[in-house]
């Protein structure tokens, strides 16, 4: 955020059948963001069990859908957005790599999704500046 304006991500309208699960995923993500980090990680590891690794198209589709249906996910709440998109992928039987990281000067934190270690739906140069502190990869 700069200059007091809120930057919202844009999203195209997802198919109608994807909107209710995207709303559900955004709501679940809102609740999960309130958990302590270790508990959140355990919950996401549990959610990832039995899922196939997500591909880039699946992650982009999920990310787009949660950004479209949720103002919080479209705004600065990267943690909620990343969890919601991961949960939506899981509802479809897949799991991306969920990551959080920090930079120290100036301090900032960020959460994002990746496939094969590459950020999806993010500026790769921006994300590469962050040191990953927590990750829940797909189980292969």
């Amino acid at each position: 955020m700069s200059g007091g304006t809120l930057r919202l991500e844009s999203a195209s309208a997802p198919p109608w059948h994807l909107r209710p699960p995207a709303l559900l995923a955004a709501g679940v993500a809102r609740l999960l963001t309130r958990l302590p980090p270790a508990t959140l990680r355990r919950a996401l590891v549990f959610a990832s069990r039995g899922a196939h690794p997500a591909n880039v198209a699946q992650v982009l589709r999920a990310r787009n859908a949660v950004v479209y249906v949720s103002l919080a996910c479209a705004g600065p709440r990267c943690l909620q957005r990343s969890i919601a998109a991961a949960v939506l992928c899981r509802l479809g039987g897949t799991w991306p790599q969920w990551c959080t990281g920090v930079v120290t000067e100036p301090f900032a934190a960020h959460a994002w999704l990746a496939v094969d270690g590459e950020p999806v739906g993010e500026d790769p140069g921006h994300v590469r500046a962050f040191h990953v502190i927590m990750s829940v990869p797909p189980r292969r």
Side-chain angles (χ1 to χ4, degrees):
M1 252 180 9
S2 65
T5 58
L6 178 63
R7 182 182 161 273
L8 297 177
E9 292 196 20
S10 61
S12 58
W16 283 100
H17 71 275
L18 195 55
R19 294 178 194 183
L23 279 169
L24 175 65
V28 168
R30 183 173 182 195
L31 295 174
L32 290 174
T33 61
R34 297 177 183 181
L35 296 175
T39 306
L40 171 60
R41 185 176 190 291
R42 281 194 301 274
L44 294 179
V45 166
F46 179 79
S48 72
R49 288 185 180 145
H52 298 286
N55 62 39
V56 171
Q58 291 164 327
V59 176
L60 284 173
R61 181 177 179 192
R63 191 178 191 283
N64 179 75
V66 299
V67 166
Y68 186 84
V69 301
S70 168
L71 187 58
C73 291
R77 295 187 181 149
C78 59
L79 181 61
Q80 185 174 344
R81 177 175 51 250
S82 65
I83 294 170
V87 167
L88 186 55
C89 282
R90 184 60 186 100
L91 290 173
T94 65
W95 187 261
Q97 179 182 6
W98 176 84
C99 305
T100 61
V102 297
V103 291
T104 55
E105 291 189 29
F107 180 81
H110 189 50
W112 66 94
L113 298 179
V115 170
D116 296 327
E118 291 298 317
V120 177
E122 305 275 342
D123 172 8
H126 173 72
V127 172
R128 284 194 183 95
F130 288 84
H131 301 283
V132 175
I133 58 169
M134 190 173 6
S135 175
V136 178
R139 300 183 182 247
R140 294 179 192 254

